[in-house]
Amino acid sequence: MNNNKISLEEVAKAAGVSKMTASRVIRNKGSFSEKTRTKVMAEVERLGYLPNRLASVFAGDINSTFVGVSIPDLGNEVFGLMLEGIDRKLGAFSHQSILGMTQHALNQEEAWIKTVLSWQPAGLILTGRSHTQKSQAMLKAAGIPIVEIWDLNSSPIDMSVGINHYDSGYEMGRYLVGKGYRKLGYVGTSHLTANAATARMNGFTKAIEDAGSRFTKHLCLHDNPGFYPGFYGTEQLLASSPDIEAIFYQNDNMAVGGLNYCETKGQKVPDDIAIAGWGDLPILSIVPYKMTTVRVPHLRLGRMAAEVLLDALHGNATRNSYDVGFILIPGSTT
Amino acid sequence: MNNNKISLEEVAKAAGVSKMTASRVIRNKGSFSEKTRTKVMAEVERLGYLPNRLASVFAGDINSTFVGVSIPDLGNEVFGLMLEGIDRKLGAFSHQSILGMTQHALNQEEAWIKTVLSWQPAGLILTGRSHTQKSQAMLKAAGIPIVEIWDLNSSPIDMSVGINHYDSGYEMGRYLVGKGYRKLGYVGTSHLTANAATARMNGFTKAIEDAGSRFTKHLCLHDNPGFYPGFYGTEQLLASSPDIEAIFYQNDNMAVGGLNYCETKGQKVPDDIAIAGWGDLPILSIVPYKMTTVRVPHLRLGRMAAEVLLDALHGNATRNSYDVGFILIPGSTT
DNA sequence: TTGAAAGCGATACCAA
DNA sequence: TTGGTATCGCTTTCAA
């Protein structure tokens, strides 16, 4: 079939044995003599034989070593960290990630799920807990382990690894109100669909309501949650509501952008304005303030999702929902 | 074979036609009556049939839609940007990326190449131009389009998309010498193998030698090229060579870390010490200086690699080496 | 320890 | 417009 690729049959013929014997030697499964092994392996080397895994998976009832991994995008640093954690762990167990970037769109996720399932993956890791009806149906019918990561789902399709984003926003809201701030703002980005960041924002707002404080202003930019959007988002927010006392950002990168805006404008942090981020991202290590933030173990989250999936593959699934937790870290910016 | 998955045969049976007819309808290829189409598609929907692409690729002589993409790691922001560019473009043409993180180790790349080739990918995109002998042999034998990205290779295995890192380092060296700096330093990270960053460092050094200046001090940390390593790397470099006048960093994130160190220590930039980065990364948009850097179109690089690969897949390959170029941007930090 | 035959799920090819 | 048959490369199963 394929151009000029060496097949098992050719190796077998060259070694003077049957296909089956060659197959057994190559997979080191079943029995064969040492002499046979030597002969076969010599031909494998000589011919540069590479097995066709498509055929193996197809023929045997064995599982593939593909794992589909969907993330919204890589422009957001946290997803890069998660992906790194996932792929490193999977790679260590000889599994490969098939990437899917959904760009925060559920219908794109659906299309990707359909395609990736057709490749007979061993399992799937999906970022987020919202999926279209059709996606859910396909996922359930697939009969393979599915891990929803990032946004903890207490009743997941199959398994879930993440944190409670709503609670983390709530805790930050309560913390800021506790510090005496009364006029609060939020700066983030908006997506096509409700997501973890939205949950944080909602938790934040709720905490403020619960505390009897009511002034909150939200700004959701149509941009990626990076440094510069934090900068100009702050500018916009303060232009429309100059009396805001504290701002909670979608993540630390945006918060650093905001911090920078305040410095540029001569606003003292936290006296004139308080700033809080989220994620405990690398940038914080060099900011000349200790930023108030929420620490989330991104790499570990990815690693754990992969672990849970591999466990399920090996038949050792136990719980189906893993909360990796977060910690609010008070700093000197609030 | 597989648990409870619906096969083409079942769909055909349910629709009362042959496998072939069902296959034609589903792929919308060949001829069939409208009535047949309706019947078959109704069963596809009802049964939730998902084709087994493994079998398709295997049966027909058609290509798979897998593309293997290797990158060193995601801790380095530039590779995340590249990957995003690649996957977005591939996705738009219904191809899927199989990720491989080589962690800068050629033998890990080799292992990955072996595995990924066994999945019969349509093509491969590899970061970097160094590969083991065995890797090279496998790649050449594979008979599929291979794109080496990032570090331009004028005599690539198959195709190359990137920039000349050595030249970009050289240009920065010449620029700094031209500005009057005589004692120059470099701060970066070291990897198991020579790579693009090494090439930049070498170009930098050569420019300085060519200019008759000879004092250069290099510091290569065993860390990732992020903000904090830039901070403490600068501390280390200046501790051992306090008379250094200008520092070139592996990338902007490290440079910003260095800038921050200098500010912390009350060193004036650029009067006491000049700082130059590389990459034109997002962080620069909020740094209160205009950083001297080298602009590289990361996203575009990824997109272009994917384009070149897709072109080759469609039989429209033309050139085999694409230099996307860089621009040195002088700023106020030098 | 080895080999022959059947079959995985789909498509190509040819015949009806 | 339709269907039968061979086939892709490998593994499973069973027999030698």
Side-chain angles (χ1 to χ4, degrees):
Chain A
M1 137 205 206
N2 270 310
N3 15 12
N4 45 3
K5 277 175 196 144
I6 309 295
S7 73
L8 178 61
E9 180 148 31
E10 300 177 70
V11 173
K13 205 168 289 176
V17 297
S18 73
K19 279 197 303 181
M20 263 324 294
T21 302
S23 170
R24 278 190 275 253
V25 169
I26 288 164
R27 287 177 300 147
N28 195 27
K29 198 180 171 190
S31 52
F32 44 82
S33 71
E34 175 56 24
K35 207 169 131 196
T36 309
R37 202 192 65 78
T38 317
K39 265 193 310 190
V40 172
M41 291 315 282
E43 291 304 324
V44 166
E45 278 306 317
R46 194 174 66 79
L47 298 168
Y49 169 69
L50 284 182
N52 182 338
R53 300 277 263 118
L54 249 43
S56 319
V57 173
F58 182 52
D61 214 351
I62 66 163
N63 284 308
S64 79
T65 53
F66 280 140
V67 175
V69 179
S70 86
I71 54 167
D73 67 281
L74 281 165
N76 190 338
E77 187 169 8
V78 298
F79 298 130
L81 291 169
M82 263 180 22
L83 180 57
E84 170 126 20
I86 292 171
D87 193 71
R88 285 245 282 268
K89 180 56 86 176
L90 288 180
F93 286 82
S94 315
H95 284 248
Q96 292 81 42
S97 314
I98 307 190
L99 192 58
M101 295 207 321
T102 61
Q103 320 226 38
H104 298 275
L106 295 190
N107 57 340
Q108 251 187 270
E109 188 195 56
E110 181 184 308
W112 176 80
I113 288 174
K114 194 167 168 178
T115 304
V116 83
L117 282 180
S118 74
W119 290 111
Q120 320 296 117
L124 252 42
I125 297 178
L126 308 172
T127 303
R129 50 183 290 178
S130 338
H131 317 283
T132 65
Q133 287 252 306
K134 221 170 164 184
S135 293
Q136 292 181 49
M138 287 191 287
L139 292 170
K140 278 173 189 152
I144 54 175
I146 314 274
V147 181
E148 289 167 272
I149 187 173
W150 190 227
D151 202 354
L152 191 67
N153 193 341
S154 50
S155 52
I157 294 185
D158 184 18
M159 293 174 291
S160 174
V161 176
I163 67 163
N164 191 318
H165 289 257
Y166 184 91
D167 286 358
S168 76
Y170 191 93
E171 198 163 308
M172 183 59 85
R174 201 170 49 180
Y175 164 82
L176 289 176
V177 170
K179 281 289 233 175
Y181 300 108
R182 288 295 169 265
K183 296 184 175 155
L184 300 149
Y186 172 88
V187 176
T189 61
S190 70
H191 296 301
L192 304 159
T193 174
N195 58 19
T198 316
R200 299 200 290 274
M201 184 179 83
N202 291 338
F204 179 66
T205 308
K206 185 61 166 46
I208 292 158
E209 280 175 15
D210 286 356
S213 202
R214 287 196 304 123
F215 184 90
T216 350
K217 170 108 182 176
H218 304 140
L219 181 64
C220 289
L221 308 165
H222 292 280
D223 206 331
N224 66 317
F227 301 108
Y228 186 59
F231 184 97
Y232 79 79
T234 305
E235 180 168 33
Q236 281 182 26
L237 186 74
L238 292 179
S240 70
S241 310
D243 50 352
I244 278 181
E245 299 163 357
I247 308 178
F248 177 38
Y249 291 82
Q250 180 175 335
N251 69 28
D252 289 330
N253 289 351
M254 293 193 84
V256 168
L259 185 61
N260 186 257
Y261 173 80
C262 294
E263 284 192 325
T264 304
K265 295 297 165 188
Q267 301 251 36
K268 287 260 173 293
V269 173
D271 298 338
D272 297 335
I273 185 135
I275 283 182
W278 193 92
D280 196 29
L281 299 180
I283 183 68
L284 296 193
S285 60
I286 63 148
V287 170
Y289 292 82
K290 186 165 176 346
M291 173 82 75
T292 295
T293 190
V294 173
R295 177 169 297 163
V296 184
H298 298 101
L299 261 174
R300 192 167 145 252
L301 235 165
R303 223 166 38 219
M304 194 148 163
E307 266 169 30
V308 165
L309 187 84
L310 290 163
D311 276 353
L313 251 22
H314 298 136
N316 316 321
T318 48
R319 288 178 295 152
N320 67 358
S321 195
Y322 299 77
D323 189 342
V324 301
F326 60 84
I327 311 171
L328 191 151
I329 313 220
S332 60
T333 57
T334 52
Chain B
M1 136 206 207
N2 270 311
N3 16 12
N4 47 2
K5 276 174 197 146
I6 310 295
S7 73
L8 179 62
E9 181 147 30
E10 301 176 69
V11 173
K13 205 167 289 176
V17 297
S18 74
K19 280 199 303 180
M20 266 320 296
T21 303
S23 172
R24 279 190 276 254
V25 169
I26 288 164
R27 287 178 299 148
N28 196 27
K29 197 180 172 190
S31 53
F32 44 82
S33 71
E34 175 56 25
K35 205 169 131 195
T36 309
R37 203 192 65 78
T38 316
K39 264 193 312 192
V40 172
M41 290 316 283
E43 291 305 325
V44 165
E45 278 306 316
R46 193 175 66 80
L47 298 169
Y49 169 68
L50 284 182
N52 182 337
R53 300 275 264 116
L54 249 44
S56 316
V57 172
F58 183 52
D61 214 350
I62 67 163
N63 284 308
S64 80
T65 53
F66 281 142
V67 175
V69 179
S70 86
I71 55 168
D73 67 281
L74 280 164
N76 190 339
E77 188 169 9
V78 298
F79 298 130
L81 292 169
M82 264 181 21
L83 180 59
E84 170 126 22
I86 291 171
D87 193 71
R88 285 246 281 268
K89 179 59 86 178
L90 288 180
F93 287 82
S94 314
H95 284 248
Q96 292 81 43
S97 313
I98 306 188
L99 192 58
M101 295 207 319
T102 60
Q103 320 226 39
H104 298 276
L106 295 189
N107 57 340
Q108 252 186 268
E109 188 195 57
E110 181 183 307
W112 176 79
I113 288 174
K114 195 167 170 180
T115 304
V116 84
L117 282 180
S118 75
W119 289 109
Q120 318 296 116
L124 253 42
I125 297 179
L126 308 172
T127 302
R129 50 183 291 179
S130 337
H131 318 284
T132 65
Q133 287 251 304
K134 221 170 164 183
S135 294
Q136 292 182 48
M138 287 191 287
L139 293 169
K140 278 173 189 151
I144 53 175
I146 313 272
V147 181
E148 290 168 271
I149 188 174
W150 190 227
D151 202 354
L152 191 67
N153 193 342
S154 50
S155 52
I157 294 185
D158 184 17
M159 292 174 293
S160 174
V161 176
I163 66 164
N164 191 318
H165 289 259
Y166 183 92
D167 286 358
S168 76
Y170 191 94
E171 199 164 308
M172 182 60 85
R174 201 171 47 182
Y175 164 81
L176 288 176
V177 171
K179 283 288 235 175
Y181 301 107
R182 288 294 170 267
K183 295 183 176 156
L184 299 148
Y186 172 89
V187 176
T189 61
S190 70
H191 296 301
L192 303 160
T193 173
N195 57 20
T198 315
R200 300 201 289 274
M201 184 179 83
N202 292 338
F204 179 67
T205 308
K206 185 62 165 43
I208 292 158
E209 279 176 15
D210 286 357
S213 201
R214 286 195 305 125
F215 184 89
T216 352
K217 170 106 182 177
H218 304 140
L219 182 64
C220 289
L221 308 165
H222 292 279
D223 207 330
N224 67 316
F227 301 110
Y228 187 59
F231 184 97
Y232 79 78
T234 305
E235 182 169 32
Q236 282 182 27
L237 186 74
L238 292 179
S240 71
S241 308
D243 50 351
I244 279 182
E245 300 162 357
I247 308 180
F248 177 38
Y249 291 83
Q250 181 176 334
N251 68 28
D252 289 330
N253 290 351
M254 294 192 84
V256 168
L259 185 61
N260 187 256
Y261 173 81
C262 294
E263 284 191 326
T264 304
K265 295 297 164 188
Q267 301 250 38
K268 288 259 174 293
V269 173
D271 298 338
D272 297 335
I273 185 137
I275 282 182
W278 194 93
D280 196 29
L281 298 180
I283 184 68
L284 296 194
S285 60
I286 64 149
V287 169
Y289 292 82
K290 186 165 178 340
M291 174 82 75
T292 295
T293 190
V294 172
R295 177 168 297 162
V296 183
H298 297 101
L299 261 174
R300 192 166 145 253
L301 235 166
R303 222 163 42 219
M304 193 148 163
E307 266 169 30
V308 165
L309 187 84
L310 290 163
D311 277 353
L313 250 24
H314 298 136
N316 316 320
T318 47
R319 286 177 296 152
N320 66 0
S321 195
Y322 299 78
D323 189 343
V324 301
F326 61 85
I327 311 172
L328 192 152
I329 312 221
S332 61
T333 57
T334 52

